[in-house]
């Protein structure tokens, strides 16, 4: 048996053989980070964008295969228009400085969500980045942009209903697999479902993110606001994920 002291002193290390293949992150707490410093909310978003770069490179170096980031939800349009306008500049700014680093790290950009409602220059920055990184075959950096989980499921149901109505499929052909193939994560194939969801800033909710795909994911909630999250925070969250799996494996093998 371990004494209390030995257990408390045990510092788990990351197991490079068991890195989660798909990590999804709800990047929360940018506004609160700024308010704490008596800065405008947009200062938090600006710093949060820097964190996106840091965490992308860190995840890629750890061997993560898909990193999905919740950048803008279908509900964020309710924010003050000055803040929405600022947010819409961020993909442009992000790619104007970061595409060379993405290519150097072999990272491919993907976007899911209804981008058709975004301002034209934002849409162009996004589609250019997708094109410019199309040959990268390392980590996929998948932005959820103007995305909502219920909206995604609604669209899938409509499209399946249309196929049934056209006589292309029978109702009994509607399976878990078929539904997955109509979701926005379909291009990710067998990597569509996150192994690990991280939410920053202490909130413990899913908030309409990847409702279908999170069915079996491990959920890790961390107290740091997104601008304070870094490579070390990512490693800690992965260690927490690996600890949960080790206990499950231990029970299964007994
Ligand atoms: C603000 C924290 C990167 C979340 C991160 C339009 C809130 C910084 C992007 C981005 C945002 C999105 C798509 C893309 C490339 C970059 C981003 C938004 C907000 C909302 F293709 N950071 N970032 N987009 N913030």
């Amino acid at each position: 048996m371990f004494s209390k002291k030995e257990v408390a002193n045990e510092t788990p290390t990351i197991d490079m053989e068991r890195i989660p293949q798909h990590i999804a992150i709800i990047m929360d707490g940018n506004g609160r980070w700024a308010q704490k410093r008596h800065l405008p909310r947009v200062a938090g978003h600006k710093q949060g964008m820097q964190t996106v770069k840091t965490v992308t490179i860190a995840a890629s170096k750890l061997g993560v295969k898909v990193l999905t980031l919740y950048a803008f939800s279908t509900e964020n349009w309710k924010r003050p228009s000055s803040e929405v306008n600022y947010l819409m500049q961020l993909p442009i700014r992000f790619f104007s400085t970061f595409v060379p680093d993405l290519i150097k790290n072999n990272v491919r950009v993907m976007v899911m969500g209804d981008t058709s409602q975004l301002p034209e220059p934002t849409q162009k920055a996004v589609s250019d980045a997708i094109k410019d990184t199309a040959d990268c075959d390392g980590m996929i950096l998948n932005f959820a942009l103007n995305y909502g989980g219920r909206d995604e499921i609604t669209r899938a149901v409509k499209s399946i209903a249309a196929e049934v109505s056209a006589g292309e499929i029978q109702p009994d052909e509607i399976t878990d697999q078929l539904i997955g193939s109509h979701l926005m994560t379909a291009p990710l194939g067998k990597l569509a479902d996150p192994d690990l969801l991280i939410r920053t800033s202490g909130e413990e909710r899913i908030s309409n993110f990847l409702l279908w795909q999170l069915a079996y994911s491990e959920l890790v909630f961390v107290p740091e606001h997104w601008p304070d999250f870094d490579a070390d925070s990512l490693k800690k969250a992965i260690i927490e994920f690996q600890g949960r799996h080790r206990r499950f494996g231990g029970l299964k093998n007994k």
Side-chain angles (χ1 to χ4, degrees), residues 181-244:
S181 76
H182 284 76
L183 298 174
M184 292 170 181
T185 45
L188 298 171
K190 63 178 180 21
L191 294 174
D193 299 343
D195 303 294
L196 167 62
L197 171 78
I198 301 169
R199 181 170 186 158
T200 59
S201 207
E203 304 297 337
E204 304 194 345
R205 293 187 293 279
I206 303 302
S207 299
N208 201 22
F209 187 43
L210 297 176
L211 295 178
W212 176 273
Q213 296 87 341
L214 289 171
Y216 300 106
S217 308
E218 292 293 333
L219 312 181
V220 171
F221 301 101
V222 303
E224 300 106 289
H225 298 311
W226 176 249
D228 290 327
F229 195 85
D230 61 11
D232 232 61
S233 321
L234 178 68
K235 282 187 197 147
K236 270 174 60 184
I238 293 174
I239 290 167
E240 166 73 25
F241 164 87
Q242 291 177 338
R244 291 184 194 179

Side-chain angles (χ1 to χ4, degrees), residues 30 45 48-49 52 71-72 87 90-91 94-95 111 126 143 145 226:
N30 300 283
H45 297 319
M49 190 187 73
V52 171
F72 190 85
L87 286 169
L90 284 181
F94 181 85
F95 290 128
V111 170
V126 169
F143 285 101
L145 199 51
W226 176 249

Side-chain angles (χ1 to χ4, degrees), residues 107-128:
V107 173
R108 178 151 72 104
V109 173
M110 274 184 48
V111 170
M112 58 176 200
D114 183 9
T115 52
S116 70
Q117 287 181 52
L118 305 179
E120 188 54 50
T122 308
Q123 288 189 44
K124 180 167 168 28
V126 169
S127 60
D128 285 351

